[in-house]
Amino acid sequence: MEGASKPRTTASRRRKVTPALRGGIDLGGTKIEAIVVDDTNTILASSRHPTPSSGGPADVAGEMVEAVKGACQAAGVEPATLVGSGVGSPGVIDEAVGTVSTARNLPGWEGSYALGPELQMNLGTHVVIGNDVQVATDAEFALGAGRPYRSLLGVMWGTGVGGGLILDGKPWVGRGGAGEIGHMVVEMGGARCPCGRRGCMEAYAGRAAMEARARKRQKEQRTDLFKIMKERGRTKLTSSVWARALERKDKLTVELIDEAVGALGAGIASAINLLDVPAVIIGGGLGVRLGEPYVKRIRKAMQPHLFNDTDPPDVLLAGLGDLGGAIGAALLVMPARRPAARRSRAAAGA
Ligand SMILES: [Zn+2]
C-alpha cells in the first residue's frame, strides 16, 4: 500500500463525536500516513500523502502538516482541538526536545531538525515524537497480534529492517539504540549494507539493499522488476512492485526474495537465541504486503538456526496492517491509557 502518488483522504462512515481525539502520523520514506483516532483507538479518518523526495526536513514537515489537516478535515475537527498528535519517525529521536537526526531515508535529513516544535507550531496541538519501529511494535503489543504476550520482538521488514522489543510488558530501548535487528550479522564479510558495514541482515533483506542488488544483477540476468516499476509509475522498487514481480515468477525477484527470507530466518533466530521471547511479529511495508505465506517461510527459515529448536516462538503477521505505525504514533500522546488497556487483556492469558 506504500508509494501513493497523490494525496488520498478517507473518513469512516461510522464516525461518532467524541472530545478526546488524537492524531497519529507515520513518517515513512515513501509515504506520510496521518490518522485521527478516538479514545478507543478507532480510526475516524486517515490521509496519505507522498513523502517529498527532494528538498529538506522543512518540506517534509510541511507535507506532514497537510496530511494531518486532511485527516482532521475528513474527521470534521480542527487540528488545534486534538488532545495531541504522535509521530513515528525514522532516524535518531530525542523525545524530550522533539528533534529528529540522521533520517537517511528522508531528503536532506543528515543533520538534526526540531520536527516536534515545528509541527506543534503549525498544528496548534501538542506533538510527541517516537521511533517509527518502536511505536509500530508498541501498537502490535497493545492492540494487534502481540496482545496475548508479555514480551515480544517486532520485525519491521521494509526499506530497511527495523526491530522493536517489548520485555516483560515494557518497551526496551537500551541506551536509545536497541532493536537494530537489521544490523545483526548473518554473514561475516558478506554483502555491503546501507549502513556501510558488511554482512548485516538488512544487506540481504532490506528493500533498499535488495533494489541495489537487483540493479547490479540486471546486467547479467534478465528481469521484469524495473519494467513493472515503470508500469506502476514508480521511481523505486516499492513493496507492490516486488509483490507483482513475485506473482509473475520473475527469476531474479524469486532469488532475491529467497535470500532475504534466508537472512531474516538467520537474524531473527539469532535474536531469539539471545532473548527467548515467546513471539515475533512481522510487519513493515514488505512484510504486510507479502503477508502470511512469507511469515510461514520466515518461520521455516528460522528453524535450523534456533538453539531451542523443539520450542520455537510464535511467528505472526502484524495484526494492524499498514496503519500500525500511525496507530502506534497516536498511542504516544496518551501513555497513561496503555498500562490499563494492557491489564484488561492480560486476563485473557499467556
Ligand atoms: Zn548494516
Side-chain angles (χ1 to χ4, degrees):
M1 296 287 282
E2 94 291 9
S5 52
K6 55 179 182 290
R8 195 179 73 196
T9 301
T10 48
S12 158
R13 252 181 266 153
R14 295 184 302 126
R15 199 176 87 205
K16 63 173 192 247
V17 179
T18 155
L21 302 185
R22 291 125 60 220
I25 314 167
D26 183 16
L27 172 57
T30 318
K31 68 172 195 317
I32 295 162
E33 183 88 56
I35 59 169
V36 174
V37 299
D38 67 11
D39 52 0
T40 65
N41 294 309
T42 302
I43 297 172
L44 304 184
S46 67
S47 185
R48 173 178 299 178
H49 285 226
T51 306
S53 53
S54 57
D59 301 283
V60 175
E63 202 63 41
M64 291 171 79
V65 168
E66 291 309 311
V68 174
K69 283 182 179 167
C72 281
Q73 196 176 19
V77 292
E78 287 294 324
T81 64
L82 297 175
V83 174
S85 194
V87 178
S89 171
V92 179
I93 318 295
D94 186 333
E95 284 192 35
V97 290
T99 55
V100 175
S101 315
T102 55
R104 291 194 194 88
N105 287 327
L106 300 172
W109 208 311
E110 284 79 30
S112 180
Y113 182 76
L115 181 64
E118 176 71 18
L119 294 176
Q120 209 155 291
M121 193 175 73
N122 286 292
L123 294 171
T125 186
H126 179 56
V127 172
V128 185
I129 311 223
N131 173 274
D132 54 353
V133 174
Q134 188 63 50
V135 303
T137 301
D138 292 349
E140 287 297 327
F141 174 69
L143 305 164
R147 283 172 57 173
Y149 308 94
R150 287 281 298 163
S151 301
L152 58 84
L153 169 65
V155 178
M156 303 301 153
W157 182 20
T159 310
V161 184
L165 270 172
I166 307 276
L167 297 180
D168 209 13
K170 288 192 247 33
W172 176 264
V173 297
R175 292 174 298 152
E180 292 294 351
I181 195 168
H183 307 284
M184 304 267 294
V185 176
V186 295
E187 181 138 10
M188 296 278 282
R192 180 77 71 184
C193 181
C195 77
R197 295 166 190 83
R198 281 190 180 280
C200 302
M201 179 165 102
E202 185 172 312
Y204 302 92
R207 207 175 51 206
M210 285 163 64
E211 174 165 345
R213 287 160 85 71
R215 286 191 189 278
K216 223 176 190 174
R217 286 202 211 166
Q218 67 169 338
K219 289 165 196 151
E220 298 115 50
Q221 195 171 343
R222 217 198 68 79
T223 176
D224 282 344
L225 266 170
F226 298 96
K227 203 175 99 190
I228 296 168
M229 178 186 85
K230 284 192 192 110
E231 278 169 17
R232 299 181 75 83
R234 304 285 197 250
T235 53
K236 41 189 172 185
L237 300 180
T238 59
S239 299
S240 62
V241 173
W242 285 101
R244 181 62 57 92
L246 277 175
E247 278 164 25
R248 291 196 197 168
K249 300 192 167 52
D250 179 75
K251 201 161 162 277
L252 178 62
T253 304
V254 170
E255 281 175 26
L256 288 168
I257 292 279
D258 283 354
E259 287 172 15
V261 168
L264 285 163
I268 297 170
S270 299
I272 291 299
N273 290 344
L274 179 69
L275 297 167
D276 194 28
V277 290
V280 178
I281 314 288
I282 308 286
L286 205 46
V288 167
R289 169 57 69 131
L290 297 180
E292 189 57 51
Y294 284 81
V295 169
K296 256 194 208 117
R297 287 190 55 191
I298 292 167
R299 196 183 297 140
K300 205 170 153 210
M302 285 167 60
Q303 193 60 33
H305 304 290
L306 286 172
F307 182 74
N308 185 4
D309 58 359
T310 55
D311 188 18
D314 296 336
V315 184
L316 306 159
L317 181 62
L320 303 173
D322 228 15
L323 290 173
I327 294 168
L331 287 174
L332 285 172
V333 281
M334 44 188 334
R337 283 191 67 82
R338 289 153 72 199
R342 196 60 219 161
R343 266 197 304 277
S344 63
R345 278 186 214 97

